Amino acid sequence: MKLAFVCLNADASDPVHATTARWIDAFAARPEIDHLTVLALRAGPVPPRANLTVRTFRGQNRIGTLWNFYREVVRALRTGVGAIFVYQTGPYPVLLWPVKLLAGVPVYYWKAHPHISTWTRLGAKFVARKVFTSTPAAFPLALPNVVVVGQGVDVARFVPRPSIPLGDLVTVGRVAPVKGLEEMIRAVARCNERFGSRLRLDVYGPTLSEDGAHAQQLAELAGSFGRLAPVTFHGPVVQDELPGLLGGYRAFLNFSKTALDRSVVEAMACGVPVLSTNPAVAEILPPDLRGDLTAPADNLDAQAEAIHRLLDLDDQRRADISAALRRLVVEEHNLDALVARIVGELDHVRAE
């Protein structure tokens, strides 16, 4: 079949959106996909394939962008595209409503974020034939067309690697309020205060312009704790460097208030023990690991104790946890298997 893939940014060099390029490559690699046409608001380098075309539709203003979007959709349909897959965000499912009605082309949607906007609700309910998501908590709408398929991590790239020790605690992601960085800083400070430790937290990820004030508040908060909360903000890191970087830390913190962050699953794939307050993470963990790897989101002392307990595990228990996390991701959350499940759910593919 010929498939169109709609996204915000197709750019393997972008520290925030590099994963989108991996999704594109995984879709194009499927034997069921004769040709993949990517329609992106912005685009940079993506892995080249003979059956892949990338087109952009960003205009000089909103009207120009909307005009370009529909022009590129029509252009794709004329090449024989039989279905459209919308990746993650934007108003595109709703914008594709007339395409579905007039051309009869099915629209599919990947959405893994618990915040449900009006655009999302309308697109999921009235436009998308199926909505794919990572976990039940990642798309909390009770709709019959929601299909839970797990998260997608490149398990050939994110592997356990020997690394020079870099520190105790690490987290990766945008510096934004929903990532729970303030709570992490407070938890590390409380842990150091209660247990006499000297744990450090290293934060890797970009700060978008709208989050600049929040980043400054975090720096001031860390400074107010002095030696109790040593935090270093390293800025964005290229995804190719992440596996080796993650392997240099004893544990990965994830206090996100969003869905199942890909970064925490990438850490698991690298065999790095994680500690999370996010229910979406607890949702995918085997019951025997939840006691070691989760903490309540509203209890600072419990978070501090969980950090101390995780870093105080003996070598054998740490090795067992690392192996179990790696196995979990390989079996249930690897990107190639996820894309295969999604493609298998496309009605047009099954009909052929």
Side-chain angles (χ1 to χ4, degrees):
M1 75 173 298
K2 293 182 178 180
L3 180 71
F5 184 104
V6 178
C7 60
L8 280 178
N9 195 335
D11 186 351
S13 65
D14 187 288
V16 177
H17 299 283
T19 300
T20 308
R22 298 225 173 102
W23 275 63
I24 290 168
D25 189 58
F27 267 93
R30 293 300 307 169
E32 303 93 335
I33 305 299
D34 300 316
H35 194 275
L36 184 69
T37 300
V38 175
L39 307 180
L41 182 66
R42 296 176 295 274
V46 298
R49 286 187 178 270
N51 68 333
L52 175 64
T53 300
V54 179
R55 304 190 185 282
T56 59
F57 55 84
R58 186 173 187 175
Q60 295 183 346
N61 51 46
R62 289 186 178 181
I63 298 299
T65 297
L66 186 63
W67 173 267
N68 292 344
F69 174 73
Y70 281 119
R71 182 187 64 191
E72 293 299 339
V73 169
V74 171
R75 186 179 181 183
L77 293 178
R78 286 175 176 167
T79 68
V81 161
I84 302 174
F85 181 86
V86 180
Y87 179 74
Q88 188 67 327
T89 191
Y92 305 115
V94 174
L95 294 181
L96 289 167
W97 205 338
V99 177
K100 171 190 173 182
L101 295 176
L102 298 176
V105 175
V107 176
Y108 298 89
Y109 189 19
W110 165 270
K111 183 67 175 177
H113 196 292
H115 173 67
I116 305 297
S117 68
T118 300
W119 284 101
T120 299
R121 188 180 299 271
L122 290 173
K125 188 172 183 178
F126 297 109
V127 184
R129 182 168 293 185
K130 292 179 181 177
V131 180
F132 301 102
T133 192
S134 56
T135 69
F139 194 83
L141 277 184
L143 297 176
N145 59 337
V146 174
V147 182
V148 177
V149 291
Q151 186 55 274
V153 170
D154 185 346
V155 296
R157 186 182 303 264
F158 286 90
V159 297
R161 295 184 184 178
S163 178
I164 298 172
L166 296 174
D168 302 304
L169 301 168
V170 65
T171 192
V172 177
R174 287 188 301 112
V175 178
V178 295
K179 297 302 181 179
L181 292 169
E182 177 181 341
E183 290 82 353
M184 288 186 208
I185 293 170
R186 294 185 185 279
V188 172
R190 182 64 60 88
C191 182
N192 284 337
E193 179 184 33
R194 287 190 55 185
F195 299 100
S197 50
R198 290 183 152 185
L199 303 179
R200 297 186 57 88
L201 173 64
D202 285 345
V203 179
Y204 293 87
T207 302
L208 304 184
S209 56
E210 61 266 29
D211 295 317
H214 177 67
Q216 181 60 36
Q217 291 170 359
L218 292 176
E220 293 172 358
L221 175 65
S224 71
F225 284 114
R227 295 182 179 180
L228 288 177
V231 179
T232 303
F233 294 91
H234 294 272
V237 60
V238 178
Q239 266 215 341
D240 286 346
E241 298 176 2
L242 267 180
L245 184 148
L246 290 171
Y249 290 89
R250 299 169 63 197
F252 184 101
L253 295 187
N254 174 253
F255 285 20
S256 174
K257 304 175 183 70
T258 60
L260 179 61
D261 283 347
R262 187 176 294 106
S263 60
V264 71
V265 186
E266 290 170 345
M268 292 179 186
C270 292
V272 180
V274 303
L275 179 70
S276 182
T277 61
N278 189 340
V281 174
E283 204 169 40
I284 70 166
L285 289 174
D288 62 313
L289 294 183
R290 290 174 191 161
D292 289 318
L293 304 182
T294 62
D298 56 355
N299 190 322
L300 182 60
D301 284 321
Q303 293 164 6
E305 291 170 6
I307 292 172
H308 175 74
R309 187 169 59 247
L310 181 60
L311 295 183
D312 200 42
L313 292 175
D314 61 59
D315 291 344
Q316 186 58 56
R317 179 58 178 162
R318 286 181 61 83
D320 290 344
I321 288 175
S322 296
L325 291 177
R326 170 70 183 174
R327 186 167 56 251
L328 170 69
V329 178
V330 169
E331 293 177 355
E332 299 183 20
H333 299 282
N334 86 74
L335 179 58
D336 289 338
L338 176 142
V339 171
R341 287 194 290 270
I342 291 175
V343 171
E345 288 282 344
L346 304 184
D347 297 325
H348 188 65
V349 170
R350 291 215 304 268
E352 292 179 343

